[in-house]
Amino acid sequence: MKTIYLLFLLLFGSILYSDNHFSVKDIDQIFIMKNEDIIFKLKDDIYFKGDIITPKSCTIKKPYKISFNSKDVINDSFLINHQNGFMTCRFKNLRQIS
């Protein structure tokens, strides 16, 4: 019974994990909205939306460079580097909207 339960968790856990995550290489644009939402547009015209936890640190000042903690999968934050230092933009509830 434990083996069946474990296989069930592994199978459906990986499916659920892949629904709300994407690769850093797939990002085309990032939109930070005034209503404290963040939208990621992927290269294949799929959009993901999340809720910003730290709105003051998600303001983008020019010149800037965005870097991610992971080289593979977007988790819950990214860094915005600008001429005065860097800020960490954190978000939650990442979900696909189209």
Side-chain angles (χ1 to χ4, degrees):
M1 183 68 180
K2 289 183 182 180
T3 307
I4 293 172
Y5 182 68
L6 181 62
L7 288 174
F8 178 78
L9 283 177
L10 289 175
L11 177 66
F12 286 105
S14 63
I15 291 171
L16 293 175
Y17 181 78
S18 65
D19 285 343
N20 293 333
H21 294 80
F22 50 89
S23 174
V24 173
K25 298 181 288 187
D26 295 335
I27 296 175
D28 185 30
Q29 292 179 330
I30 299 174
F31 303 100
I32 297 176
M33 311 304 281
K34 289 183 180 180
N35 63 353
E36 298 181 2
D37 287 338
I38 187 165
I39 298 175
F40 294 94
K41 179 186 176 211
L42 304 184
K43 293 177 182 174
D44 54 357
D45 289 333
I46 294 175
Y47 290 85
F48 281 84
K49 181 179 178 181
D51 304 320
I52 295 176
I53 300 172
T54 56
K56 290 184 180 179
S57 63
C58 291
T59 56
I60 296 178
K61 301 174 186 174
K62 291 193 177 186
Y64 66 92
K65 179 184 177 203
I66 294 178
S67 58
F68 295 93
N69 297 338
S70 171
K71 296 191 187 285
D72 296 330
V73 177
I74 296 295
N75 292 324
D76 62 351
S77 65
F78 60 90
L79 294 175
I80 301 173
N81 298 310
H82 50 82
Q83 60 192 11
N84 295 332
F86 70 91
M87 293 192 274
T88 302
C89 182
R90 296 192 185 279
F91 54 91
K92 64 179 180 177
N93 299 330
L94 191 62
R95 61 210 174 268
Q96 184 175 348
I97 55 175
S98 69

